[in-house]
Amino acid sequence: MRYMQRTRIVIVGGVAGGMSAATRLRRLDETAEIVVLERSGHVSFANCGLPYRVGGVIEQRNSLLLQTPAALNARFGLDVRVRHEAIAVDAAARRVRVRDLAAGEEYDLGYDRLILSPGAVPVRPGLPGIERALTLRNIEDTDALVAAVAGARTGVVIGGGFIGLEVAENLARRGLAVGIVEATDQVLAPIDPELAALVHRRLRDRGVELHLGQQVVEIGADDVVLADGSRLPAQVVVAAIGVRPDTALAAAAGLAIGELGGIRVDERLRTSDPHIFAIGDAVEKTDAFTAQAALVPLAQTANLQGRRVADVAMGRPGGDRPVLGTAIVEVFGLQVAVTGWNEKRLRAAGRAHRVIHSHPMDHAGYYPGATQLAMKLLVDPVTDAILGAQAVGGSGADKRIDVIATAMAAGLRASGLAGLELAYAPPFGSAKDPVNMLGWIAANLRDGLTETIQWHELAAAQAAGATVVDVRTAAEHQAAAIPGAVPVPLDELRARLDELPAGDLIVYCAVGLRGYLATRVLEQHRAGHAWGRIRNLDGGMRTWQAGVGR
Ligand code: FAD
């Protein structure tokens, strides 16, 4: 009798969000009947590791299979049904129609609560020949790609997003000559162009052919055709042009779908039906800045939501949190990390922002192996709130972005980064960590101690009559300089102040530090000179070069 009264919770999708929900549910309720339906042949697999299996970095296929239905049953008492697809939901009757794909049979499964975590589906453009393009979403896709790569010499990846770049790198690892075709003029849309330029350079240095601002119009038998008529050899073609929420089941069940095409859920992850919850890539999340809907198809948000929905489904307090979109990818040894909004998006939204670029070493320069980071911080000029951050570098980009994401989640202001006490020893960082540095720069700008100009504003300022002063050494100036710049090395600046003409001055150095020092010297010797605005080129020549593509 007691058995009959068990609460039954059915979960659709047995990977990131679904399995997090299932195991948390069990930890909260030893009596509930928890059924997980998964249409593929595997649950709880490591989707984020799939590209590395293609490249052979993950040598054993089994390493991707983190759990089996039997193990989940033994440890958590879960009823996990792989190759079982939920094909319809009768919300009024609280019933799921299930197809057992192995047996070819269908049955109904009643529920007290239903949790949908069906993920996303890869976007497949309607191109002639598209059936030859592979996608990468699950273990079966990975097996197909591994088989296709064997013996192949050429590959083209359509799409320069996170997954596209991971796939491209792993095809290259397998010895294929790889091309990436990306419709916009940069890879990795979440970062800004001057940082994406560093990724472009790394890809080209490693032999990947980048076709930016290009579109594939046809997939041939062993090549792809671009809109400009050129043909790229491609024995293997991978379509990685993005994903869209998998809402087929939810929409057919009459659940509300949001404007961005994801399942609409409230702050407690409830759909428009009181007994149905939804999480992960399939749902619209809430943007941390606008409180509007956002699509953020990432593993960590799916996992977090899995745990949260279990709490909600069990009647515990709590709910969802807005998303920053913190993400990271490795591209041929280059870490690319981002959190919050980028400058492109802030500009498009007309939102006031202050930009800070810096190029610190990832750890003490005197300790072997230090590499330079390119960092960017976006700050609200009125409230000093951190709006976003990006970091690209060989090492240490991950922890800096994670620190900043944590600061953002805690509501810390940009200048507050200066005061963070961060772990330091020479192999790991600097006594003044790059994150502290960003905080000091933010505080200096907020307090008006220095003013900066951005790389994309320089040409117009020069055309309007500003004098550009190169405060690097004479040798650096001779090696490469911004056209029209007057060389006055920082260490000679105080003695040569009278050489600087009236009007606006823009100083620059390699990365912005000496330029900042120069602005402080000039500001304090302003008396007796007819100088106008004195600005430092933010991020120095390095950011300018990356931005203007030199
Ligand atoms: P999934 O984990 O995709 O699980 C959904 C499951 O539901 C699928 O297995 C599907 O078969 C099943 N399903 C769907 N419909 C039904 C149905 N009707 N009946 C039964 N089962 C159904 N994110 C990161 O944060 N970092 C990374 O490095 C990263 N790398 C990635 C690399 C690749 C190649 C891919 C594909 C994704 C990567 N992601 C990464 C994204 C991350 O994997 C997803 O955000 C996350 O898995 C989403 O979790 P989910 O539970 O919403 O969906």
Side-chain angles (χ1 to χ4, degrees):
M1 190 61 193
R2 189 173 171 276
Y3 185 83
M4 297 295 288
Q5 291 169 347
R6 290 172 82 193
T7 300
R8 182 187 286 158
I9 303 174
V10 174
I11 300 174
V12 175
V15 192
M19 204 48 79
S20 296
T23 51
R24 172 74 173 167
L25 281 167
R26 173 57 74 227
R27 291 192 292 275
L28 295 177
D29 188 339
E30 209 32 39
T31 65
E33 185 185 355
I34 303 168
V35 183
V36 180
L37 302 172
E38 169 54 53
R39 81 174 150 212
S40 79
H42 306 274
V43 280
S44 204
F45 60 84
N47 9 25
C48 307
L50 302 181
Y52 301 97
R53 167 77 189 125
V54 175
V57 178
I58 296 171
E59 292 176 11
Q60 301 298 326
R61 182 178 185 273
N62 269 347
S63 306
L64 297 169
L65 305 174
L66 307 178
Q67 288 286 356
T68 62
L72 288 162
N73 183 264
R75 172 80 41 101
F76 295 102
L78 302 178
D79 177 354
V80 178
R81 305 180 189 180
V82 293
R83 309 269 298 134
H84 282 240
E85 181 177 17
I87 54 172
V89 175
D90 183 338
R94 280 195 240 160
R95 207 167 47 208
V96 183
R97 183 84 181 151
V98 184
R99 183 175 293 147
D100 176 342
L101 298 169
E105 290 165 2
E106 292 182 10
Y107 60 94
D108 288 322
L109 186 64
Y111 61 81
D112 297 292
R113 309 216 231 315
L114 177 66
I115 297 175
L116 301 177
S117 189
V121 284
V123 175
R124 288 179 74 87
L127 300 172
I130 188 66
E131 55 285 351
R132 196 166 76 78
L134 300 170
T135 53
L136 190 59
R137 195 74 211 160
N138 56 30
I139 298 286
E140 288 80 356
D141 295 342
T142 312
D143 293 341
L145 189 50
V146 168
V149 162
R153 293 182 313 283
T154 56
V156 161
V157 177
I158 310 174
F162 284 69
I163 295 175
L165 295 197
E166 286 180 348
V167 169
E169 177 175 349
N170 282 288
L171 293 184
R173 256 191 199 112
R174 286 279 179 172
L176 274 69
V178 181
I180 297 174
V181 184
E182 164 57 49
T184 69
D185 56 7
Q186 69 160 82
V187 299
L188 298 177
I191 61 172
D192 287 315
E194 72 279 20
L195 277 91
L198 307 177
V199 184
H200 296 165
R201 195 188 304 154
R202 178 61 60 102
L203 287 164
R204 289 180 173 129
D205 284 351
R206 298 302 168 92
V208 173
E209 263 190 36
L210 263 186
H211 302 271
L212 301 174
Q214 290 272 10
Q215 292 204 342
V216 172
V217 292
E218 188 183 337
I219 298 173
D222 56 7
D223 61 6
V224 298
V225 185
L226 303 188
D228 66 3
S230 55
R231 305 184 88 97
L232 308 179
Q235 290 167 314
V236 176
V237 180
V238 180
I241 59 171
V243 294
R244 61 174 174 75
D246 187 344
T247 54
L249 196 62
L255 302 181
I257 303 297
E259 277 175 20
L260 300 180
I263 303 172
R264 182 175 290 162
V265 289
D266 67 9
E267 70 292 346
R268 300 259 293 159
L269 296 163
R270 293 173 295 206
T271 68
S272 51
D273 181 281
H275 301 283
I276 306 179
F277 304 80
I279 54 173
D281 288 0
V283 305
E284 293 184 354
K285 292 155 190 168
T286 305
D287 183 89
F289 294 107
T290 61
Q292 291 183 343
L295 291 177
V296 179
L298 288 171
Q300 84 279 25
T301 50
N303 276 277
L304 293 172
Q305 287 189 327
R307 187 182 166 95
R308 291 170 188 154
V309 80
D311 285 0
V312 172
M314 284 298 164
R316 292 170 65 86
D320 204 24
R321 278 190 65 127
V323 290
L324 292 169
T326 308
I328 187 165
V329 67
E330 190 181 72
V331 184
F332 289 102
L334 206 56
Q335 299 177 353
V336 185
V338 59
T339 188
W341 281 34
N342 60 30
E343 187 180 352
K344 289 178 293 191
R345 193 170 168 199
L346 289 164
R347 272 204 238 170
R351 185 161 177 166
H353 58 278
R354 176 178 286 148
V355 180
I356 298 170
H357 292 92
S358 71
H359 297 271
M361 302 308 280
D362 71 305
H363 64 250
Y366 61 80
Y367 188 87
T371 58
Q372 195 162 34
L373 286 162
M375 298 190 70
K376 180 167 183 176
L377 188 73
L378 296 146
V379 181
D380 185 311
V382 176
T383 65
D384 197 28
I386 307 169
L387 302 176
Q390 300 160 42
V392 176
S395 165
D398 52 350
K399 72 171 172 177
R400 272 57 188 231
I401 290 300
D402 279 347
V403 167
I404 295 171
T406 307
M408 290 169 79
L412 202 70
R413 304 280 115 172
S415 49
L417 297 175
L420 290 180
E421 185 188 328
L422 302 170
Y424 161 65
F428 305 106
S430 298
K432 291 175 180 143
D433 190 87
V435 173
N436 298 136
M437 291 283 195
L438 289 172
W440 279 307
I441 299 170
N444 286 338
L445 291 167
R446 180 201 58 191
D447 298 343
L449 275 179
T450 187
E451 197 184 346
T452 53
I453 181 167
Q454 294 303 315
W455 61 271
H456 54 84
E457 298 167 334
L458 184 71
Q462 246 178 321
T467 301
V468 177
V469 184
D470 183 352
V471 299
R472 299 172 305 156
T473 63
E476 285 174 284
H477 182 78
Q478 265 165 13
I482 293 175
V486 181
V488 183
L490 176 63
D491 295 345
E492 299 171 18
L493 186 60
R494 289 184 185 84
R496 296 175 56 186
L497 294 172
D498 292 341
E499 292 177 30
L500 299 180
D504 290 349
L505 299 178
I506 296 168
V507 295
Y508 79 92
C509 63
V511 297
L513 176 58
R514 283 173 289 172
Y516 160 60
L517 301 177
T519 63
R520 294 303 306 144
V521 171
L522 293 172
E523 281 296 351
Q524 294 178 77
H525 289 88
R526 198 180 252 291
H529 297 94
W531 300 325
R533 290 171 82 183
I534 298 170
R535 285 174 287 177
N536 179 25
L537 179 62
D538 187 47
M541 178 121 173
R542 197 170 285 263
T543 297
W544 178 82
Q545 278 177 316
V548 301
R550 293 176 194 226

